[in-house]
């Protein structure tokens, strides 16, 4: 009986500490209600789309490879923006925790999506959420690459990695020298040429930004033969984080082009504790993608935490908040969600007098506790 009581007290203490930690975190918009139909599902520019309404499979050639790392990276039927999601569960000290690899366009493998096409320019987007109270920079998130032989030598690699601090970075590299492929294997660090990284500025791996869905989009364009005009850009929540516009990805070499995008869970130094993250709404396209389309009217949910007062929300029609188009009334502390309509707030700025957000437009949101001076950064973009 005594040992059972001790265990119960210990569990209660842990739960209390977790709740206290959660309550101390800044408020953020955690998620936005998703429209049932997303444009990416039927857009001819889209090469690949997965909202994880079903588990990933390599049998259908939607994925070149899926590794769960002994159950660390698995599909969940819920927990996503509109249903299913991919959950990565890191154990303390764990390094490798699973991948998803998409193959498309011309490649040495005689498989994949749209295998007869050449893609010199792509955009890819994914939503990622880190468990509330997340700690540490997990090093790897994704990469776009050119797989140039059956043993996975690479022509170029556009890494989206953990950068300095709690930020992402872009770190481009090439396996081509003087227009000749010199890489001899996958991740051939002895022969890769690093073209210069750029750090982001949104601390998505900080505890303050945990517990919410973050929109990450990257753009890669190969250089014209003989020129250094290649592009590598990264956006987080619709804000340009990092950019290179003077890259020589591959000289005049043109055996293959961009043909793969990988989502990765590889933590060089191992996770600092047991913690999870999720992926959803993974898109690869030849055109810019942007945020998900919200339901109409949209419903926004806040991150957890007990509030002594209520909370309030603002919506802007630009990422800097120059045009605030909706302000909520004070929202009860017990409420986790609010619908953006005239019953719960007032339309302002360029949409003064409206009864709903103007359609076919991108919006950003910010949030704060009632009585606080400081707002969250403008984040959680969506399209109406």
């Amino acid at each position: 009986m005594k040992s059972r009581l001790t265990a119960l007290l210990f569990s209660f203490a842990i739960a209390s500490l977790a709740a206290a930690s959660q309550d101390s975190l800044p408020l953020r918009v955690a998620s936005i209600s998703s429209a049932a139909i997303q444009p990416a599902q039927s857009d001819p520019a889209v090469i690949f789309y997965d909202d994880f309404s079903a588990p990933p499979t390599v049998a259908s050639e939607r994925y070149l490879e899926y590794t769960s790392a002994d159950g660390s990276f698995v599909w969940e039927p819920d927990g996503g923006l509109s249903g299913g999601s991919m959950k990565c569960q890191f154990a303390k000290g764990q390094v490798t925790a699973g991948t998803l690899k998409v193959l498309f366009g011309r490649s040495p493998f005689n498989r994949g999506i749209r295998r007869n096409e050449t893609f010199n320019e792509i955009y890819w987007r994914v939503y990622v959420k880190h468990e509330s109270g997340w700690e540490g920079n997990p090093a790897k998130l994704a990469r776009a690459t050119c797989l140039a032989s059956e043993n996975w030598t690479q022509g170029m690699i556009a890494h989206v990695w953990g950068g300095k601090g709690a930020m992402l970075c872009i770190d481009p590299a090439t396996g081509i020298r003087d227009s000749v492929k010199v890489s001899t294997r996958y991740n051939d660090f002895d022969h890769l040429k690093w073209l210069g990284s750029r750090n982001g500025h949104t601390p998505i791996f900080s505890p303050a930004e945990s517990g919410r869905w973050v929109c990450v989009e990257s753009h890669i364009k190969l250089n014209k033969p003989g020129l250094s005009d290649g592009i590598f850009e990264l956006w987080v929540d619709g804000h340009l984080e990092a950019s290179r516009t003077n890259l020589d990805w591959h000289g005049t070499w043109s055996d293959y082009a961009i043909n793969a995008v990988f989502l990765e869970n590889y933590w060089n130094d191992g996770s600092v504790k047991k913690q999870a993250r999720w992926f959803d709404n993974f898109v690869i396209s030849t055109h810019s993608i942007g945020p998900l389309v919200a339901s109409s009217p949209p419903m926004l949910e806040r991150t957890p935490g007990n509030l002594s007062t209520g909370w309030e929300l603002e919506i802007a029609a630009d990422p800097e908040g120059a045009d605030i188009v909706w302000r909520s009334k004070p929202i009860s502390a017990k409420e986790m969600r609010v619908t953006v309509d005239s019953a719960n707030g007032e339309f302002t700025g360029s949409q003064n007098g409206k009864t709903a957000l103007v359609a076919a437009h991108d919006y950003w949101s910010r949030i704060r506790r009632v009585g606080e001076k400081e707002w969250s950064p403008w984040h959680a973009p969506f399209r109406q």
Side-chain angles (χ1 to χ4, degrees):
M1 178 64 74
K2 185 177 179 180
S3 61
R4 183 181 178 187
L5 179 61
T6 301
L8 287 172
L9 289 172
F10 178 76
S11 299
F12 178 76
I14 293 296
S16 298
L17 286 171
S21 175
Q22 196 174 74
D23 291 348
S24 67
L25 293 176
L27 276 187
R28 295 291 186 264
V29 174
S31 65
I32 299 150
S33 57
S34 175
I37 304 298
Q38 295 292 316
Q41 293 173 268
S42 57
D43 187 344
V46 170
I47 302 166
F48 172 88
Y49 172 82
D50 198 346
D51 63 358
F52 300 114
S53 56
T57 173
V58 297
S60 64
E61 294 199 353
R62 284 181 55 74
Y63 288 99
L64 169 67
E65 185 175 278
Y66 162 48
T67 58
S68 72
D70 295 324
S72 297
F73 191 36
V74 297
W75 177 76
E76 289 190 333
D78 51 24
L81 287 159
S82 59
S85 63
M86 291 298 297
K87 179 182 180 181
C88 171
Q89 178 68 66
F90 280 102
K92 183 177 180 179
Q94 187 171 357
V95 174
T96 302
T99 64
L100 279 170
K101 297 181 173 73
V102 179
L103 181 72
F104 53 89
R106 290 193 303 111
S107 79
F109 302 102
N110 192 33
R111 57 176 297 194
I113 302 165
R114 295 167 64 171
R115 67 183 67 173
N116 296 318
E117 299 181 50
T118 298
F119 296 99
N120 291 307
E121 180 176 17
I122 68 159
Y123 295 77
W124 65 260
R125 184 205 75 193
V126 71
Y127 277 81
V128 60
K129 181 177 74 170
H130 296 86
E131 181 179 348
S132 184
W134 177 275
E135 294 179 16
N137 189 323
K140 304 295 190 294
L141 179 74
R143 72 184 70 195
T145 190
C146 168
L147 297 176
S149 68
E150 291 184 5
N151 68 335
W152 290 47
T153 59
Q154 292 163 285
M156 50 74 65
I157 318 170
H159 300 101
V160 177
W161 279 355
K164 297 176 182 177
M167 280 72 81
L168 288 169
C169 76
I170 57 173
D171 202 358
T174 179
I176 308 298
R177 298 286 185 91
D178 299 321
S179 301
V180 175
K181 181 171 69 69
V182 296
S183 63
T184 61
R185 58 183 175 82
Y186 185 71
N187 276 348
D188 189 356
F189 295 125
D190 292 335
H191 295 98
L192 291 177
K193 179 180 180 180
W194 297 90
L195 304 177
S197 65
R198 293 289 186 273
N199 213 59
H201 53 80
T202 301
I204 72 166
F205 303 123
S206 70
E209 301 302 323
S210 64
R212 73 177 186 91
W213 286 102
V214 181
C215 179
V216 179
E217 182 167 350
S218 185
H219 171 216
I220 302 97
K221 184 176 182 180
L222 299 183
N223 58 286
K224 296 183 183 71
L227 299 179
S228 296
D229 61 352
I231 295 172
F232 189 6
E233 296 174 307
L234 174 69
W235 292 267
V236 172
D237 284 337
H239 300 271
L240 183 63
E241 293 278 305
S243 176
R244 291 292 307 274
T245 58
N246 59 345
L247 296 174
D248 182 359
W249 286 111
H250 61 183
T252 60
W253 182 86
S254 59
D255 290 8
Y256 297 101
I258 308 165
N259 56 21
V261 175
F262 302 165
L263 299 182
E264 302 174 305
N265 296 295
Y266 188 90
W267 198 318
N268 297 32
D269 299 323
S271 179
V272 299
K273 65 178 184 179
K274 181 182 178 181
Q275 54 191 345
R277 70 175 177 183
W278 293 261
F279 294 91
D280 201 359
N281 278 154
F282 182 22
V283 183
I284 305 169
S285 177
T286 57
H287 294 166
S288 60
I289 302 162
L292 62 79
V293 175
S295 61
S296 184
M299 179 183 292
L300 279 65
E301 181 175 347
R302 67 173 175 88
T303 51
N306 294 322
L307 309 180
S308 57
T309 60
W311 53 288
E312 51 192 345
L313 185 76
E314 291 185 339
I315 306 293
D318 64 281
E320 288 77 36
D323 182 19
I324 297 174
V325 295
W326 187 81
R327 288 188 172 96
S328 76
K329 299 174 183 177
I331 306 162
S332 169
K334 66 181 181 180
E335 296 295 336
M336 295 295 297
R337 302 171 184 83
V338 65
T339 300
V340 180
D341 58 18
S342 54
N344 291 300
E346 178 185 9
F347 289 88
T348 61
S350 64
Q351 298 189 26
N352 183 43
K354 301 289 186 183
T355 57
L357 292 174
V358 173
H361 200 293
D362 289 352
Y363 297 93
W364 286 259
S365 55
R366 68 178 184 177
I367 188 173
R368 69 178 178 184
R369 291 173 170 85
V370 170
E372 284 190 349
K373 182 178 179 180
E374 296 297 323
W375 290 87
S376 73
W378 289 104
H379 67 297
F382 62 93
R383 187 164 294 159
Q384 187 64 96

